Amino acid sequence: MTAVTAVAARAAAPADTTPRPPTPRAVVGKVVWVVAVVLISVTTVMPLLWTLATSLKPEGEILSSYLQLLPSNPTLANYVALFTDGPFGRYLANSAIIALGGVATNLFFGGLAGYALAKLSFRGRGVVFSMFLGSMMVPGIITMVPTFLVLRRFPLVGGNDLFGEGGAGFINSYGAVLIPFAAGPFAVFFMRQFFQALPDELGDAARIDGASEFRIFWSVYLPLARAGLAVLGVLTFQAGWNSFLWPLIALNDPDMLTVQVGLAGYVNEYQTQYGPLLAGTILASLPVLVVFVLAQRYIIENFAHSGTK
Amino acid sequence: MSAATSLRPTPVSATRRQQTISAWIFLAVPVVLFAVFLLLPVVMAIGLSLTDYSVIGDFEWVGLDNYLRIADDPIFWVAVRNTALYTVLYVPAGVAVALGTALLLNRSTRTARVFRTLFYIPVVSSTVATAAIWFWLLNPQYGLLNAVLGWFGIDGPAWLYDSQWAMIAIVMMSVWAGFGANMIIYLGALQGVPGELVDAARVDGAGAFRVFWHVTLPSISRATFLILTLLLIAAFQVFDQAYVLTKGGPGNSTLTLVYYIYDRGFGRLEMGYASALSFVLFLVILVFSVANARATGRENDR
């Protein structure tokens, strides 16, 4: 692939000085480029289209005409089966609550904390900032077992007494997934970077007018951070909707499963029912795909900056 | 309150005190969560790893027994070997595909932007959805992959059902699912490659490969470092794909370290031993991250 661009670049180089008809080499380079990007797109997009096609085929057609991209007799039976044969609707609702709840808390608390670290001067600011930054480097695996125990033994919650005995604490409740990630260090860091780019003078002017610090945050700076909040909201939604390992551990009541954990249960090593599995895959991917399509410009640009920072 | 502040003789220090109080109130929730769900768990992990805690019944201090047990645990070494194999295949492939696709799309045309979105699409899906899609793609009889291989006269393997190929299948899937994000980071970095340097090298008669090697690659070394770090940390903690697709099989060939920790801690409830295992993995990640930072740092100094 490197060679392809290299050839194209070298062929294009003489064209810088005087415009002249494209050399045969440039034409070949262009054709090779188009073939390469189309082939790669086919490998990234085709599996999704094939999944969609298979999910719309009746059971008898799935294996017999597995290579056919357009179903001969399209049907929604696989989707209907998800909701009638199992609690898939419940899974979707659980995931929506967890993902949207995570967005709300991360935007609010991440915004507040990020603003404090960017715009308020106080002793210990550097320490707190490096603490959050450092905590992003700690791999999730090390806190997995103890976090489970902290949530399970949380005093006075979920049937627990003052010493955390007797009940299941937050385990098997939305709190088990929402609370530990309610104000992640990434949200704080991200919003801090965003607020830092805004001028200090706005706050100073409001302060002279006698506005409280919260008011300055809420009415002056937060509206200016709308773009940042939108990107953080989309990223947090995707992370919450797509998370797997932690919900798998913390929520095992059949009624509390998230859509990802529920979907994983449809994949069996033997005797997999491909129709419902792939219909579930489409439903599990749809919300994040829609959000991505709406916001893709901002998301991709934000990502592009992270490499140069 | 604020009116009084402005009337005080030393408004600067009063504002400052006010700001300090506000700042700590604003930071309270994230700081408390940090203490309860990061600091406390890390300390607990160290403590737990020195006990035989298993949720039910009493537990006692066993000192370094768990760590000694790890050294003699054959399954642990199987998990280490599998995770190492995954890392060795996934990290270079992930960097190469991300950089290759970024170089392909490093032009500001509308067509390139459309393809950028198409390349990025797999990143959006969850690992479970990706795994389900690939479970179907990799079906030995009815999967698209073996059908395509068949057009070229290749008799595809049984993939997830073959201990020789299961891990390779998971690596392919992970590269497919993740390269788009790193491609975008590389595209951002490629914008920063100084055009004058490239032109100067060309004038001096450097070929395209030499320009790439001596100008482009050094200019994007920060992005390479970031991507290497992200890929390494992700590779050492691979779990979802192996759990969903193969449950660690066939014949333990996809049993990864995190899968093993999960199985010990939450399958068999041996939480003391699982904590010791996770601490070992943490140290491995730390060592590799530091080594990577040093290697890249030396590269940058040159």
Side-chain angles (χ1 to χ4, degrees):
Chain A
M1 268 169 281
T2 312
V4 174
T5 21
V7 169
R10 197 192 299 163
D16 290 345
T17 42
T18 43
R20 59 176 99 160
T23 60
R25 246 188 132 155
V27 174
V28 170
K30 182 81 188 161
V31 169
V32 171
W33 183 83
V34 170
V35 170
V37 292
V38 167
L39 272 181
I40 296 169
S41 311
V42 167
T43 61
T44 55
V45 177
M46 197 53 166
L48 291 167
L49 293 180
W50 196 49
T51 300
L52 179 64
T54 309
S55 76
L56 295 169
K57 290 177 185 174
E59 203 184 335
E61 213 179 298
I62 288 178
L63 296 184
S64 64
S65 56
Y66 66 97
L67 279 182
Q68 206 171 310
L69 195 57
L70 286 177
S72 318
N73 306 295
T75 169
L76 289 176
N78 294 317
Y79 291 87
V80 174
L82 282 177
F83 293 95
T84 51
D85 299 354
F88 207 80
R90 184 72 207 230
Y91 299 161
L92 286 171
N94 290 337
S95 282
I97 291 169
I98 287 166
L100 293 175
V103 170
T105 55
N106 275 287
L107 290 192
F108 183 70
F109 294 119
L112 262 181
Y115 169 78
L117 289 176
K119 286 282 169 262
L120 298 180
S121 56
F122 61 99
R123 206 179 297 163
R125 182 162 84 165
V127 178
V128 176
F129 178 63
S130 23
M131 188 180 85
F132 282 124
L133 203 58
S135 75
M136 284 199 283
M137 317 276 174
V138 179
I141 183 70
I142 184 126
T143 55
M144 192 170 70
V145 168
T147 302
F148 179 84
L149 294 174
V150 167
L151 290 166
R152 197 186 139 86
R153 304 289 298 264
F154 211 91
L156 305 174
V157 177
N160 279 348
D161 59 21
L162 194 59
F163 304 100
E165 304 273 357
F170 281 112
I171 297 305
N172 271 326
S173 74
Y174 295 125
V177 180
L178 284 173
I179 296 170
F181 308 104
F186 176 73
V188 177
F189 175 76
F190 185 92
M191 289 316 293
R192 183 241 185 211
Q193 299 302 87
F194 206 90
F195 283 120
Q196 203 141 49
L198 299 175
D200 286 341
E201 289 75 21
L202 296 170
D204 294 340
R207 223 161 263 135
I208 290 165
D209 288 347
S212 74
E213 292 298 337
F214 183 78
R215 220 190 139 74
I216 297 172
F217 160 73
W218 188 258
S219 321
V220 179
Y221 280 102
L222 204 58
L224 294 173
R226 252 188 241 127
L229 288 172
V231 173
L232 180 64
V234 171
L235 293 177
T236 313
F237 179 81
Q238 285 182 350
W241 183 270
N242 286 345
S243 67
F244 179 65
L245 177 52
W246 187 248
L248 175 73
I249 291 168
L251 307 171
N252 37 49
D253 184 318
D255 269 348
M256 290 302 295
L257 300 189
T258 63
V259 71
Q260 308 298 341
V261 178
L263 185 63
Y266 285 72
V267 187
N268 291 311
E269 277 196 73
Y270 309 100
Q271 292 258 303
T272 303
Q273 296 234 294
Y274 282 104
L277 169 68
L278 297 177
T281 302
I282 295 294
L283 290 183
S285 309
L286 212 54
V288 278
L289 275 175
V290 169
V291 168
F292 170 70
V293 168
L294 293 177
Q296 58 126 336
R297 218 200 155 81
Y298 304 100
I299 301 302
I300 287 183
E301 247 132 60
N302 169 63
F303 249 116
H305 289 309
S306 63
T308 46
K309 244 179 241 163
Chain B
M1 172 182 69
S2 27
T5 312
S6 51
L7 290 176
R8 280 197 188 138
T10 50
V12 175
S13 72
T15 331
R16 206 182 151 83
R17 195 168 58 232
Q18 186 57 45
Q19 280 197 25
T20 304
I21 295 166
S22 302
W24 286 108
I25 295 171
F26 290 3
L27 285 163
V29 170
V31 167
V32 168
L33 289 176
F34 170 86
V36 177
F37 293 107
L38 194 97
L39 221 52
L40 176 66
V42 168
V43 175
M44 279 173 75
I46 300 170
L48 277 168
S49 75
L50 304 173
T51 71
D52 63 357
Y53 183 77
S54 56
V55 183
I56 311 145
D58 295 329
F59 65 97
E60 47 190 78
W61 290 92
V62 294
L64 292 173
D65 276 9
N66 283 330
Y67 292 94
L68 297 173
R69 207 176 127 199
I70 289 172
D72 289 333
D73 181 349
I75 311 288
F76 167 76
W77 291 106
V78 169
V80 167
R81 213 181 50 219
N82 291 339
T83 309
L85 175 65
Y86 178 85
T87 308
V88 164
L89 294 174
Y90 174 69
V91 174
V95 171
V97 175
L99 181 55
T101 47
L103 288 170
L104 263 184
L105 295 186
N106 185 31
R107 46 185 74 186
S108 51
T109 61
R110 187 168 297 177
T111 332
R113 271 200 298 277
V114 170
F115 282 110
R116 190 179 69 173
T117 305
L118 294 179
F119 286 15
Y120 189 82
I121 284 216
V123 178
V124 181
S125 295
S126 70
T127 44
V128 178
T130 305
I133 292 168
W134 277 73
F135 189 67
W136 180 218
L137 280 180
L138 292 167
N139 184 300
Q141 281 164 291
Y142 304 106
L144 195 58
L145 187 59
N146 277 1
V148 171
L149 288 176
W151 297 342
F152 296 96
I154 301 166
D155 195 11
W159 298 114
L160 300 170
Y161 304 97
D162 182 337
S163 58
Q164 299 281 315
W165 287 96
M167 190 57 103
I168 291 167
I170 289 181
V171 170
M172 286 192 314
M173 192 190 95
S174 307
V175 171
W176 179 85
F179 83 87
N182 298 326
M183 171 190 80
I184 299 294
I185 295 179
Y186 264 137
L187 275 173
L190 285 170
Q191 303 285 311
V193 176
E196 321 87 75
L197 264 180
V198 176
D199 292 342
R202 283 230 183 85
V203 169
D204 288 350
F209 181 76
R210 283 174 63 95
V211 171
F212 170 73
W213 193 256
H214 292 290
V215 179
T216 313
L217 215 50
S219 315
I220 56 173
S221 64
R222 278 175 69 107
T224 304
F225 166 68
L226 175 72
I227 291 168
L228 269 177
T229 309
L230 293 173
L231 287 177
L232 271 174
I233 291 176
F236 284 127
Q237 297 190 83
V238 58
F239 169 81
D240 298 11
Q241 302 93 319
Y243 178 87
V244 177
L245 288 176
T246 54
K247 294 277 187 288
N252 282 343
S253 63
T254 56
L255 182 83
T256 64
L257 273 170
V258 169
Y259 196 130
Y260 188 50
I261 294 168
Y262 167 82
D263 186 47
R264 284 283 173 171
F266 297 96
R268 303 183 219 184
L269 298 179
E270 293 176 34
M271 293 197 169
Y273 190 55
S275 294
L277 285 168
S278 64
F279 214 72
V280 170
L281 176 56
F282 175 50
L283 289 179
V284 171
I285 292 174
L286 197 68
V287 166
F288 272 85
S289 302
V290 170
N292 180 24
R294 288 205 154 182
T296 323
R298 206 177 308 134
E299 197 103 313
N300 285 348
D301 292 342
R302 246 194 338 204

